Amino acid sequence: MESKTTARLSARSRRWAVATATSVIALATAATLVPRGANAGGPVPAAEGVDDSVPTDRLIIKYRAAVPAAAATATASDRALLHRPAQDAAARLGLRMQLLRVGALDTHVMKLERRLAHADVQRLAGEIMANDASVEYAEPDRILHAMLTPTDTQYGQQWHYFEAAGGLNLPPAWDKSTGAGVVVAVIDTGYRPHADLAANILPGYDFINDTFVSNDGNGRDNSALDPGDAVAAGECGGGQPVRSQPSSWHGTHVAGTIAALTNNSSGVAGVAFGAKVLPVRALGKCGGYTSDIAAGMVWASGGSVPGVPANPNPARVINLSLGGSGACDAASQDAINSARSRGTVVVVA
């Protein structure tokens, strides 16, 4: 897509494409997929590739269900009392912290006065849990990153689609199903308008609150268009990235891999070209916060998120071509469990 999108994918991209093709096409015939190495209630390993020392200025607190002030409908005064032990814990470490918003599944997203290494925010989370029995869990609001790199175009070069021995062997699968009737949510950088996608794109949503990350001049809104995620050297903090990077247009690439129009004598073929893509924007400059990604999962699967209109097109499949190092955090696992409770399959890079 654009001038560089779906085509000869890297080894990592091919592994992802196998997962996507299997899930989307199998789901069209009512099959069910469980993430590799996961069970219905256990943690799902996150993809490797991003160091846990990536700094963040946010922390997620989930209070126990029996705590009235934890609900999104609680008054500001009740919520101020609820947060006081956590803010006291932050103060003992020389930090100021305030509520940013109540997120999906009644998680409380807290904003720190500055970015800290993951280990430092994890230490603060431990202090909060140790000193407040009403806290179910507290954890850093990690910043995750896209896990694919766009390459060339042309179906003739997409050998991994049709090669029978080491590829997906898609032509026989297409005789059985092309994904028609399936909605696939792509939680990523958003999308760019493209003739090879236009007929298969549904109205999506932008879940990025931080205007630096969003790079579009505003917070959450109903436009999932991708304004670009180019960064200058060192712009993400902590000396990252080492060199300037152009915009990835990653979400457009992923959407094209899934559902680019096919048999139209133009561009490339999609793995499940009969499916519809629901773009959910949660990645921007320097990546995306776990809390925004989790909210996107809940909304995409038909769940409710405070302050966000209901999704009229719940997804049967959620694609997450993103990740970070270490085990899946609690907020992401809760979001995955929530999506699966509504019958949505979650595919992770």
Side-chain angles (χ1 to χ4, degrees):
M1 316 302 299
E2 297 285 314
S3 62
K4 298 179 178 179
T5 41
T6 55
R8 193 169 52 224
L9 304 180
S10 65
R12 176 186 293 162
S13 302
R14 290 196 295 275
R15 287 194 296 271
W16 169 82
V18 170
T20 303
T22 303
S23 62
V24 175
I25 294 177
L27 279 171
T29 54
T32 301
L33 185 75
V34 176
R36 183 171 55 198
N39 55 52
V44 178
E48 296 182 358
V50 179
D51 194 311
D52 273 342
S53 65
V54 172
T56 181
D57 58 354
R58 296 186 191 176
L59 183 142
I60 299 171
I61 303 176
K62 177 66 180 296
Y63 291 92
R64 301 189 188 281
V67 180
T73 54
T75 65
S77 58
D78 285 344
R79 198 169 289 145
L81 289 173
L82 178 70
H83 293 150
R84 185 168 297 168
Q87 290 170 326
D88 288 345
R92 288 193 292 272
L93 297 176
L95 296 166
R96 290 194 299 271
M97 182 176 69
Q98 60 184 10
L99 176 70
L100 182 63
R101 66 178 180 277
V102 177
L105 307 177
D106 286 340
T107 53
H108 291 225
V109 182
M110 311 298 289
K111 181 79 163 60
L112 301 169
E113 60 184 310
R114 63 181 184 275
R115 288 196 173 201
L116 300 170
H118 179 274
D120 294 328
V121 183
Q122 186 65 62
R123 188 175 304 114
L124 171 57
E127 286 284 322
I128 291 170
M129 288 189 289
N131 290 282
D132 189 349
S134 68
V135 173
E136 182 178 327
Y137 66 80
E139 61 190 12
D141 193 354
R142 295 195 301 167
I143 297 176
L144 305 182
H145 292 80
M147 299 295 282
L148 289 176
T149 302
T151 53
D152 345 293
T153 59
Q154 308 297 332
Y155 176 68
Q157 297 177 349
Q158 293 177 288
W159 63 267
H160 51 284
Y161 278 18
F162 51 77
E163 206 278 326
L168 300 180
N169 197 23
L170 284 177
W174 286 330
D175 288 340
K176 296 178 173 62
S177 175
T178 62
V182 176
V183 174
V184 183
V186 176
I187 300 182
D188 214 292
T189 64
Y191 77 101
R192 296 301 303 163
H194 195 286
D196 222 16
L197 273 178
N200 284 342
I201 290 285
L202 295 170
Y205 207 84
D206 180 357
F207 277 88
I208 303 176
N209 267 290
D210 188 292
T211 53
F212 170 80
V213 177
S214 71
N215 200 34
D216 62 1
N218 54 43
R220 289 183 172 177
D221 58 32
N222 62 0
S223 173
L225 288 171
D226 183 355
D229 55 2
V231 290
E235 194 174 5
C236 298
Q240 296 298 318
V242 176
R243 59 185 63 85
S244 296
Q245 298 176 352
S247 291
S248 66
W249 313 117
H250 186 269
T252 306
H253 164 64
V254 173
T257 299
I258 293 170
L261 296 180
T262 304
N263 286 333
N264 63 344
S265 302
S266 176
V268 296
V271 171
F273 54 83
K276 299 295 184 184
V277 170
L278 177 71
V280 179
R281 188 166 183 252
L283 301 181
K285 290 182 68 171
C286 304
Y289 286 98
T290 294
S291 55
D292 291 340
I293 295 166
M297 280 193 272
V298 171
W299 181 84
S301 62
S304 61
V305 175
V308 179
N311 173 16
N313 300 295
R316 183 71 176 90
V317 180
I318 291 175
N319 183 85
L320 294 155
S321 294
L322 52 85
S325 64
C328 181
D329 48 78
S332 294
Q333 186 64 63
D334 282 352
I336 290 168
N337 293 346
S338 174
R340 291 185 64 191
S341 75
R342 286 182 284 276
T344 301
V345 171
V346 180
V347 182
V348 184

